[in-house]
Amino acid sequence: MSGTFKTESPFTRALIAGALAGTTVDLSLYPIDTLKTRLQSSAGFSSTGGFRGIYAGVGSALIGSAPGAALFFVTYEATKSYFHSHPASPQTATWTDPLTHMAAASLGEIAACAVRVPTEVVKQRAQAVQFHSSLAALQAILAQRRAVGVVGVWRELYRGWGVTVLREVPFTVIQFPLWEGLKEWRRRRTGREGISALESGLFGSVAGAVAAGVTTPLDVLKTRMMLAREKVGAGEMARRMLRDGGAGVFFKGMGPRVVWIAVGGAVFLGSYQWAYNTMGGN
């Protein structure tokens, strides 16, 4: 593979591979994400655009995908590396490894949310046709500075931060230990040290689908909070949703979400593994 960029630095490999994986998955599956957002909107699927303009808000995704995913994987790999350099006894490795993956994924998601939350706020408002583009949605938020000040604009950009972290941490606590566990099972079964991109993608799809189904209620709550005309707390929004739509409202868009993340898990973790392996000369 002459001419291919190679590096022995896990930090650099995670940074570049993560950025590539994030951009690839967000752009390739963006239409499904738009449909999921519209299904979850309190305004209803048809009134938020239906099947029209399914790339609305793609500009914010383009800007936020690479740095968000890069932040996640750099933090994830660095945390794993730290715990692996301070190993527990071999007798406890079977249960400490999953805990390491849970901790690494949780810290990775918290870091990534610094980019992901404002990107999601802008993107989802464009997807729900509250504004004609990501730029218009962002300008509307920034225009509030005269009324609410810089701090108010900051809070608006990070609306739903708490519930997003509350959604993402349980999601990754399920997805990444399952993904890592499936990869380890494959290594033991084949006797190979490495994992191919195809295998990583398949395991990522399974892990993502399971995590997506379990965390759908939190995703619906997050979407409703970000799309609300006024800022509403998670508890109050949940009570309103339960009162107006019953328990079933928390599972709106579950089908598209599971499909989107199952396919996305394959693309995301498959492309990450491919880039990571390639830069390592594998």
Side-chain angles (χ1 to χ4, degrees), residues 5-280:
F5 173 75
K6 296 182 177 65
T7 176
E8 292 302 315
S9 167
F11 177 88
T12 304
R13 289 163 71 183
L15 180 72
I16 298 174
L20 174 66
T23 303
T24 301
V25 70
D26 281 353
L27 292 185
S28 61
L29 299 178
Y30 193 82
I32 301 177
D33 182 40
T34 299
L35 296 178
K36 185 267 301 180
T37 297
R38 291 174 178 178
L39 282 168
Q40 292 178 347
S41 171
S42 59
F45 180 72
S46 298
S47 61
T48 52
F51 291 99
R52 301 184 306 277
I54 55 177
Y55 277 94
V58 72
S60 58
L62 273 171
I63 293 171
S65 295
L71 263 176
F72 172 83
F73 276 111
V74 166
T75 307
Y76 180 72
E77 296 292 349
T79 305
K80 281 202 309 178
S81 177
Y82 172 80
F83 281 113
H84 288 159
S85 66
H86 300 78
S89 64
Q91 292 80 9
T92 61
T94 54
W95 61 267
T96 55
D97 278 354
L99 291 179
T100 294
H101 298 147
M102 288 179 186
S106 298
L107 291 175
E109 282 297 346
I110 292 170
C113 279
V115 174
R116 183 177 298 144
V117 171
T119 300
E120 284 273 300
V121 169
V122 172
K123 179 193 74 174
Q124 291 195 329
R125 291 181 185 184
Q127 287 177 323
V129 200
Q130 292 182 1
F131 300 91
H132 69 272
S133 68
S134 293
L135 180 59
L138 178 60
Q139 288 173 333
I141 293 172
L142 296 178
Q144 298 177 28
R145 183 173 63 86
R146 292 181 180 177
V148 298
V150 175
V151 174
V153 169
W154 183 269
R155 288 176 176 171
E156 187 67 14
L157 280 170
Y158 281 88
R159 186 195 287 193
W161 160 273
V163 74
T164 302
V165 171
L166 188 64
R167 178 198 67 176
E168 295 294 350
V169 168
F171 179 90
T172 52
V173 162
I174 297 169
Q175 183 188 32
F176 275 81
L178 182 54
W179 176 59
E180 295 280 9
L182 288 169
K183 290 198 299 178
E184 182 60 28
W185 168 80
R186 183 62 177 170
R187 289 190 193 99
R188 291 177 180 175
R189 188 174 179 86
T190 62
R192 289 188 282 108
E193 184 178 343
I195 291 291
S196 72
L198 181 61
E199 291 167 333
S200 177
L202 177 61
F203 299 148
S205 179
V206 172
V210 172
V214 173
T215 58
T216 294
L218 291 172
D219 186 54
V220 177
L221 180 60
K222 185 269 305 180
T223 299
R224 292 291 181 93
M225 288 178 66
M226 287 185 171
L227 294 180
R229 294 294 181 181
E230 74 283 353
K231 189 171 183 178
V232 181
E236 175 60 26
M237 180 60 75
R239 284 190 290 272
R240 291 183 187 180
M241 290 167 59
L242 193 61
R243 180 193 65 207
D244 297 338
V249 74
F250 287 96
F251 293 92
K252 277 194 171 185
M254 182 175 180
R257 173 172 163 79
V258 170
V259 171
W260 167 50
I261 294 180
V263 177
V267 176
F268 185 54
L269 295 174
S271 58
Y272 175 79
Q273 195 74 53
W274 173 82
Y276 196 86
N277 289 351
T278 300
M279 286 185 287

